[in-house]
Amino acid sequence: MVKPRNILSSVISVTLVGWIFDCFGYQLGVLVCLSVALVLWIVSGGLGKVAKVMSATAEQLQKK
């Protein structure tokens, strides 16, 4: 389903990628975009693990 939030997110993403390509050129821009995507992927995975640990801790505290 198409939502305004998804459309806005896509427009912002395309604008940022275009700006990166304008600033760094095509080849370096691709490397910058891949680096940013990798950092975001690592951070989101790390945040997921933190959320799991926090929920497990909350369950343990509720049991006591």
Side-chain angles (χ1 to χ4, degrees):
M1 182 176 218
V2 177
K3 297 180 182 178
R5 186 179 198 175
N6 293 344
I7 294 171
L8 181 62
S9 176
S10 298
V11 169
I12 290 171
S13 298
V14 169
T15 304
L16 285 174
V17 169
W19 179 77
I20 289 171
F21 282 180
D22 285 343
C23 287
F24 297 105
Y26 180 75
Q27 292 178 343
L28 191 58
V30 169
L31 288 175
V32 169
C33 289
L34 288 175
S35 299
V36 169
L38 178 64
V39 167
L40 291 175
W41 182 62
I42 290 171
V43 167
S44 67
L47 291 177
K49 290 177 185 176
V50 168
K52 287 180 184 178
V53 169
M54 290 180 69
S55 66
T57 304
E59 288 177 17
Q60 290 293 329
L61 290 174
Q62 287 177 352
K63 289 181 182 178
K64 290 183 177 181

